[in-house]
Amino acid sequence: MEQLKTIGRELAMGSQGGFGQSKEFLDLIKSIGETRSKNEEDRIVLREIETLKTRLANPNTPKFKLKEYLIRLLYVEMLGHDASFGYIYAVKMTHDENLLFKRTGYLAVTLFLNEDHDLIILIVNTIQKDLRSDNYLVVCAALNAVCRLINEETIPAVLPQVVELLGHQKEAVRKKAVMALHRFYQRAPGSVSHLISNFRKRLSDSDPGVMGATLCPLFDLITTDVNAYKDLVISFVNILKQVAERRLPKSFDYRQMPAPFIQIKLLKILGLLGNGDKKASEHMYTIVGDIMKKFDSTSNIGNAVLYECICCISSIHPNPKLLEAAADAISKFLKSDSHNMKYLGIDALGRLTKISPEIAEQHQLAVIDCLEDPDDTLKRKTFELLYKMTKSSNVEVIVNRMIDYMININDNHYKTEIASRCIELAEQFAPSNQWFIQTMNKVFEHAGDLVNAKVAHNLMRLIAEGFGEDDDTADSQLRSSAVESYLHIIGEPKLPSAFLQVICWILGEYGTADGKYSASYISGRLCDVAEAHSTDDIVKAYAVTALGKIYSFEIAAGRKAEVLPECESLIEELLASHSTDLQQRAYEVQAIVGLDAHAVENIMPMDASCEDIEIDKSLSFLDGYIQQAIEKGAQPYVSESERSGMSNISNFKSQEQHESLMHSLRFEAYELPKSSMAPHVPPVLASSTELVPVPNPYNHTEVHYSATPMPSVSNAGSSELKLRLDGVQKKWGRPSYSSPVPSTSNNDAPKIQNGTTQRDSVGSANSKARDVSYDSRKPQVEISPEKQKLAASLFGGPSKSDRRQSSSSQKVPKNNSHSANKSHVEKTATSDTVAVKTSQPPQDLLDLGEPTGTSIPPSLDPFKQLEGLLDLTQDSTTLNTGGGSGTDAPDIMSLYADMSLSGQGNENPLSTGNDSASLLSGFSDAANRNGHGVNTVPQLTQQLSKGQNHKDSLEKDALVRQMGVTPSGQNPNLFKDLLG
Amino acid sequence: MGIRFVLMVNKQGQTRLAQYYEYLTLEERRALEGEIVRKCLARNEQQCSFVEHRNYKIVYRRYASLFFLVGVDNEENELAILEFIHLLVETMDRHFGNVCELDIMFHLEKAHFMLEEMVMNGCIVETSKSNILSPIQLMEKAS
């Protein structure tokens, strides 16, 4: 076998070699091509690097050899190894007179170097020279390099020549010059702002290639400033018309479409220009309508143009006729069996729903099919659509779906995106506080480390402030439910830090508020959190501060703060913490526990986190006390700056502020230290009493401490000060500075148990949630109600109760989950078969599986209908599980069969033309089966049985292909299937 | 910017051609190529020819053992890019005659030249096969 392979390669080379490629080169490529592991490949490349180093260093290497070495260097770098030792040879090669060598040199340079590489400077000169060449191919090669290598600084060196080349007699040169200018515009728009008119001029170039290329820079320009190009609307429309009427040379045709890529570009531009501009849009209606009428639905490219038309229509000023045509096209896309078409359909639907929201409703079932499709790409696209059509009536269903999906993916990039979308939707449309909090909990639990910290602060604020209605009972209910839910969640392992912070804060603030949980229970749980996250200082800080709050609420209520032993030891431990922040908090908690009820009440009023806090920076409340002390003969206070002889701090600070205001460096030297200008006023006094909404915490702590030298400030006083800081922080501040108060706690055994059971229930709730996301793949009979339900809740669902109902019923199929796999197969299979059989309207799908009147359109009476669905679901569930477990094996097989068959059928609609048939067959090894697509059942089964053989032969085919890859005589069929 | 990169990778994950229209370091490229190929190999034929990866959208098409992958940004028409891949293959086919993986390997620079004619600054600038191939043919004649 191995031998055969080699022979094949040898033959392949026989037919291809001889273009100056050495045996050595062929051997290298051959060995790279034959490697079966990354290690092997690396070994070859490393050996090659050594060879090339010595070879390239030899000054007498002939040029054709050098060119070959460069290509070998390209391989080195392409396969992931550093080839920087050879860059200079690539640069040298660009100087060569021979066009092929020069262009290879340029190619290597553009692949090796980025525009800021040091070696570029050595090439600029060559480029300049080549731009002046008489050989237009040399000029083209240089312009290619310009597009890759010229950066902002070197633009002026080539700009005049490039501009001159815009008028070159060769169209290839003009085209590349336009693109070079485009590149300059991308890199430094200012450098070519005076040359923009050239793009307009080139739009009417006699060569369609140049015109087509000019559309690229114009697209960018129009994106940034639409209004400056409104005058071109008519030109673009005319061009598009000419293209559509096949006025361009045949060579631009692709699959019998006239210059489709140019059409697409033009449609994009028209979409931009017509956006929100009725007058401009009116010019476009006719041509866009014509293109849509003419389009060729059998080819991919025809559909690509059609899709672009829909994008254009949804962007320009709406026209009823075109919208109708677009809606028709979308339904064609969605009904297609090709996932690519469905994908475009969903995307187009998302664009069109902005203009006519009712369109989405017509396609409810198709949308839900896509949502439940195992294909991730399709699913995500559908989520995007749902995101666009979210409103307050369907937000619950949509966000729950999103969260279910989010929980199950690993891709952090997308997780972050979908989490922030959930949050955005929840904040915007939340139907109730409870729901909002539960949603946020889920998002935090699963993606807490990925979302913005601000979201956590928002959540705390929301719970603290309520929803703004003056309904205290609702607010406290909200809080109780938050506490409840957090006590459930808190035991889960691996909660993200941001979420734990929220939990601790809420438990501290409201844990004991409704009297349901004892202080010692809450404090025990908090203590657990701190212990379980002993490496996370921020969480610990939140936890200990929350403890402080619990204790102080206890004391304020006249009870004794009962500090559980483990809380005590936690506080002990933190007193000696390396983190000064933790230390301070621990000391504060300790101090609070020792205070009397009256003092504590002042420090930590219940539920005061939202009060505005006034900070008396001048400490005027101490005036009386100071007066007394001075009268008793105490020394007046000498400010720290005076004591140390430093220049006045406040002065200093204000200077700094000034500077930062001026945004400039300060060049003069600082003045020598002087005694302060306002010697008797401590620096902070200057700002006197004022309301401080977002204070800089550092400042205030400073104030606090510099003021405390007064030894006997009453406890109440000093703590009052702290308290204020605390409140400030809670609301906006950074977590590390909120220094609230303590409580006791410890968990006794029963409570732990309690905790675990709770955890369990959470777990099962979760799995329930997951089930929900799968349930729709359950047997067919129940799918339809499920889907319809979902459809109703997504698209129709006008009343709240309706939605609730639906979400509860979603959980029903859970008991069925053990047969999920099987039924999954069944579902896909059956629905596919159905799809193949007919092009019946989607409603009929429902009828198939349903004995009762569940196919009443959702709009009639969703509520009632849903009840019906629910029952049905249960029935069918039991039925199916019963059948599924025992007897189903053969059936499942046949379903598989159906699936693959329908797969074949699927390709048919696309492959009507011979041309496109071969196109499709090129998709893959397995694609041969296309073309046999037959729809009648007996034939299908035949094919099925043939399927195996087919597969074998395909495998063989693939093997052969790998072995004897001669494009010529030896293997005439090779790759035939690629391109008919 | 449109097209961010064009890759040809075989089903063993070995890169056969790579052209980036934005700068990535060697390590970034290596990682990216590995991740993308793994993702695309895991998909079946019925699924979309488009995959999201990081901030790219990958449009891919498989020809025998070779994957053609084009990374685009959000503004592109995915289906058109899919056809662009086919146009590229057809163009190579016209030049090499029954193009295969080895043709690309033995004539890496020519495959690059064709791509250079078709895509500049991440935009599709030329779609006429004769316009794409004529400079390459002229060059071959000259040397």
Side-chain angles (χ1 to χ4, degrees), chain A residues 420-432:
Chain A
S420 52
R421 280 188 170 174
C422 287
I423 292 164
E424 190 189 321
L425 292 178
E427 282 177 351
Q428 222 175 324
F429 297 110
S432 72

Side-chain angles (χ1 to χ4, degrees), chain A residues 402-416:
Chain A
M402 283 182 165
I403 291 175
D404 287 342
Y405 179 65
M406 182 188 82
I407 291 170
N408 293 313
I409 55 172
N410 301 318
D411 171 358
N412 275 352
H413 184 83
Y414 190 66
K415 212 171 191 170
T416 313

Side-chain angles (χ1 to χ4, degrees), chain A residues 16 21 75 175 919 923, chain B residues 61-62 103 105-106 126:
Chain A
Q16 286 167 348
Q21 290 170 327
Y75 265 98
K175 180 175 67 190
L919 193 175
F923 270 175
Chain B
R61 199 158 176 165
R62 187 177 158 176
D103 285 318
M105 290 186 75
F106 283 120
E126 187 56 79

Side-chain angles (χ1 to χ4, degrees), chain A residues 541-612:
Chain A
Y542 267 90
V544 77
T545 299
L547 280 181
K549 280 188 214 162
I550 301 279
Y551 294 142
S552 56
F553 295 155
E554 278 298 285
I555 295 168
R559 292 184 288 267
K560 195 180 167 301
E562 176 197 345
V563 183
L564 298 176
E566 63 248 59
C567 295
E568 210 159 350
S569 63
L570 174 72
I571 294 169
E572 286 287 322
E573 181 200 318
L574 294 185
L575 286 176
S577 168
H578 286 300
S579 155
T580 48
D581 177 56
L582 285 177
Q583 259 190 42
Q584 186 187 334
R585 285 163 195 265
Y587 275 110
E588 281 166 2
V589 172
Q590 213 179 29
I592 286 170
V593 174
L595 294 176
D596 63 66
H598 175 69
V600 168
E601 213 169 325
N602 279 321
I603 303 170
M604 273 298 166
M606 276 293 273
D607 189 20
S609 58
C610 301
E611 310 286 307
D612 281 335

Side-chain angles (χ1 to χ4, degrees), chain A residues 339-340 375 923, chain B residues 43 47-51 58-61 82:
Chain A
H339 273 195
N340 287 347
D375 185 348
F923 270 175
Chain B
R43 297 173 62 80
Q47 296 183 325
C48 293
S49 314
F50 326 124
V51 187
I58 317 282
V59 179
Y60 70 95
R61 199 158 176 165
L82 193 66

Side-chain angles (χ1 to χ4, degrees), chain A residues 21 44 128 140 171 194 246 250 331 363 398 428 537 541 557 588 640 749 797 804 834 858 891 908 922:
Chain A
Q21 290 170 327
I44 295 170
Q128 281 179 320
C140 284
E171 59 280 351
H194 57 294
R246 300 181 177 274
K250 268 252 173 257
S331 57
H363 300 292
I398 290 179
Q428 222 175 324
D537 275 359
E588 281 166 2
E640 195 190 344
R804 291 268 153 76
V834 171
D891 284 340
N908 262 335

Side-chain angles (χ1 to χ4, degrees), chain B residues 4-137:
Chain B
R4 315 283 270 296
F5 56 79
V6 175
L7 290 176
M8 298 178 199
V9 185
N10 72 9
K11 63 174 188 240
Q12 281 89 36
Q14 297 160 318
T15 310
R16 291 298 170 239
L17 181 144
Q19 177 64 276
Y20 289 84
Y21 297 96
E22 63 189 350
Y23 181 69
L24 292 178
T25 65
L26 214 55
E27 289 73 35
E28 285 167 339
R29 293 176 181 201
R30 216 177 157 156
L32 183 72
E33 286 163 24
E35 289 164 18
I36 294 175
V37 174
R38 240 168 288 142
K39 226 176 207 176
C40 292
L41 275 174
R43 297 173 62 80
N44 66 36
E45 286 160 52
Q46 272 75 43
Q47 296 183 325
C48 293
S49 314
F50 326 124
V51 187
E52 279 177 41
H53 182 72
R54 300 200 211 161
N55 47 341
Y56 301 112
K57 200 167 282 165
I58 317 282
V59 179
Y60 70 95
R61 199 158 176 165
R62 187 177 158 176
Y63 292 92
S65 62
L66 205 56
F67 280 91
F68 284 65
L69 306 135
V70 179
V72 297
D73 57 26
N74 262 327
E75 302 307 308
E76 280 304 316
N77 180 329
E78 291 92 344
L79 202 58
I81 297 292
L82 193 66
E83 289 308 284
F84 167 76
I85 294 177
H86 195 69
L87 177 66
L88 173 64
V89 175
E90 280 185 349
T91 310
M92 292 199 291
D93 194 63
R94 182 184 283 191
H95 183 79
F96 293 115
N98 287 321
V99 65
C100 69
E101 189 180 331
L102 273 187
D103 285 318
I104 296 167
M105 290 186 75
F106 283 120
H107 303 281
L108 183 63
E109 78 282 13
K110 273 184 211 154
H112 268 295
F113 292 156
M114 286 174 213
L115 202 54
E116 267 181 346
E117 297 298 324
M118 297 174 80
V119 181
M120 293 178 87
N121 307 340
C123 302
I124 299 174
V125 291
E126 187 56 79
T127 51
S128 148
K129 280 177 216 137
S130 52
N131 283 2
I132 297 165
L133 291 175
S134 73
I136 296 161
Q137 284 153 356

